[in-house]
Amino acid sequence: MKAGLVYDPIYLEHDTGNHVENSQRLVEAMSYLKETGIKDKLTCLAPRPALLEELELAHTPEYISYVKTKAENGGGWLDPDTVMSPKSYEAAIYAAGGLLIATEAVMQGEVNNAFALVRPPGHHAVSGRAMGFCIFNNVAIAAKFALSKFNLNRVLIADFDVHHGNGTQDAFYSDSKVLYFSAHQYPFYPGTGWMDEIGMGEGEGTTANFPMAAGWGDEEYLRAFNEVLIPLTQRFQPQLILVSAGFDAHWADQMAMMRVSIKGFAQMVTILKGLAAELCQGHLVFTLEGGYNLQVVASTVKAIFDLLLGSSEIDDPLGEAEVRKPEGFDKHIEAIKVIHRIR
């Protein structure tokens, strides 16, 4: 198996200071890949800047111009959560472009699969504004790029970041060509992503939200994947699977209140890899979203690359959270199955 890695030091130039979303997330991940010898087994893919017309697949020209000008003027806050430095626009267009390079490499057979280790993240960014640490919506741009360039009709975006990807949902809410599945803590930032948000018009039924109660963990996430994501994906028959991979649902991440382990993330990735092999010639591309415990990010990125390279051995140095009996999950998942006509 050939697994692609997209990374460039430009991503460290998005200087957020003491912000929780900072360059150490990538520094630690890349250091761990080198230390464990995994990096030497990967196919390195050099990113390029996304072109203006590619950014405009998901964002308004006015917003793109505003972000560029903001960087040229020294940076500053785009919203209460999202800060820019002078190099942030360049980093952001290379983040979007990095995922485009990963998608091209997979679709053209240069690699079997790929993981774009990019920042700033993207899944909260909407067409005309930044949100939640995100400047441009990398995965939305990549999906629209893939649909056009490779003449695809169906793309799955699976999102297991602990926060709902409101920007990604917005981009495809009326689009039948993209199935967006999100498992996320609810109620939580940004307040969207309840189970009754299923798309509209031509896109009705191609948004599938699995809101999770605080305290749920591996068992609940894996049931959501096995009992909801798998049948929906088999029904949809995607030609490409893009994954918004955030690791802030881990029990050791202080940004949220979920109880997923590294092993749990690995099991979710194994399911996605299996779906890609079954349905779309293995076409599977990951992009980094959230995750703020540095050891969790580094260890989970390494575990995912192990899986992408064909290993079934998972190293989880932090172990699992203390087991707690979930409350109300059975009724919850049955309600979601009814909404999406899953028997």
Side-chain angles (χ1 to χ4, degrees):
M1 297 290 288
K2 291 182 70 174
L5 163 66
V6 174
Y7 172 76
D8 192 278
I10 186 60
Y11 301 135
L12 309 182
E13 297 297 314
H14 172 49
D15 184 1
T16 58
N18 294 325
H19 196 288
V20 66
E21 198 294 295
N22 61 64
S23 61
Q24 283 302 116
R25 301 173 66 230
L26 290 190
V27 170
E28 292 290 329
M30 290 299 297
S31 295
Y32 196 55
L33 291 177
K34 292 174 186 175
E35 177 189 321
T36 55
I38 297 298
K39 185 174 181 294
D40 293 337
K41 301 177 182 179
L42 303 174
T43 302
C44 292
L45 304 170
R48 64 168 175 83
L51 303 174
L52 182 60
E53 56 264 35
E54 292 166 341
L55 297 176
E56 288 178 354
L57 293 171
H59 297 284
T60 66
E62 295 79 11
Y63 171 64
I64 298 165
S65 176
Y66 170 72
V67 173
K68 186 173 187 289
T69 302
K70 189 86 166 178
E72 290 170 348
N73 291 336
W77 292 90
L78 293 173
D79 84 337
D81 301 306
T82 312
V83 67
M84 286 185 66
S85 65
K87 286 276 195 171
S88 291
Y89 178 79
E90 186 179 1
I93 62 174
Y94 268 90
L99 188 51
L100 299 184
I101 286 291
T103 301
E104 279 185 317
V106 169
M107 293 303 298
Q108 293 173 347
E110 182 182 344
V111 293
N112 299 97
N113 44 56
F115 196 153
L117 287 185
V118 304
R119 59 184 290 276
H123 72 156
H124 293 308
V126 295
S127 63
R129 65 189 174 103
M131 281 186 69
F133 317 163
C134 302
I135 296 177
F136 297 131
N137 196 315
N138 307 318
V139 78
I141 293 167
K144 294 194 177 193
F145 168 84
L147 287 165
S148 174
K149 172 154 189 175
F150 299 103
N151 197 28
L152 303 183
N153 296 309
R154 296 174 307 281
V155 173
L156 165 66
I157 300 175
D159 188 338
F160 55 76
D161 188 278
V162 82
H163 303 96
H164 180 242
N166 60 296
T168 309
Q169 175 172 292
D170 284 359
F172 302 106
Y173 207 60
S174 302
D175 190 340
S176 63
K177 292 185 176 181
V178 175
L179 172 62
Y180 177 62
F181 173 87
S182 177
H184 49 272
Q185 184 175 330
Y186 187 97
F188 206 43
Y189 182 88
T192 51
W194 186 242
M195 65 177 72
D196 62 0
E197 296 171 30
I198 63 167
M200 62 185 294
E202 291 184 4
E204 185 174 347
T206 56
T207 294
N209 285 301
F210 202 113
M212 295 276 187
W216 290 353
D218 291 355
E219 178 183 346
E220 293 75 38
Y221 273 81
L222 291 173
R223 283 192 62 190
F225 271 54
N226 281 310
E227 298 180 39
V228 176
L229 176 61
I230 287 178
L232 285 179
T233 304
Q234 290 172 332
R235 181 193 300 170
F236 187 70
Q237 296 281 305
Q239 297 156 295
L240 167 67
I241 298 176
L242 300 174
V243 185
S244 279
F247 310 126
D248 33 10
H250 193 278
W251 60 263
D253 194 299
Q254 298 300 309
M255 285 288 283
M257 292 154 272
M258 305 309 289
R259 301 171 69 79
V260 178
S261 68
I262 292 169
K263 181 180 177 182
F265 286 124
Q267 290 171 312
M268 288 183 250
V269 169
T270 299
I271 291 169
L272 291 164
K273 187 181 175 189
L275 286 169
E278 174 191 349
L279 302 171
C280 53
Q281 302 174 280
H283 295 154
L284 179 63
V285 182
F286 291 77
T287 187
L288 183 64
E289 299 287 1
Y292 308 100
N293 178 300
L294 298 181
Q295 184 179 7
V296 169
V297 172
S299 296
T300 311
V301 167
K302 189 257 186 188
I304 291 175
F305 273 121
D306 281 336
L307 292 168
L308 296 183
L309 287 165
S311 174
S312 58
E313 296 291 320
I314 300 301
D315 180 26
D316 186 346
L318 293 175
E320 298 180 22
E322 180 184 349
V323 176
R324 284 196 329 205
K325 184 171 177 57
E327 298 292 334
F329 184 81
D330 288 338
K331 185 180 290 188
H332 191 73
I333 194 171
E334 287 307 315
I336 293 171
K337 288 179 182 179
V338 168
I339 288 171
H340 290 281
R341 300 183 181 90
I342 298 170
R343 296 186 178 183

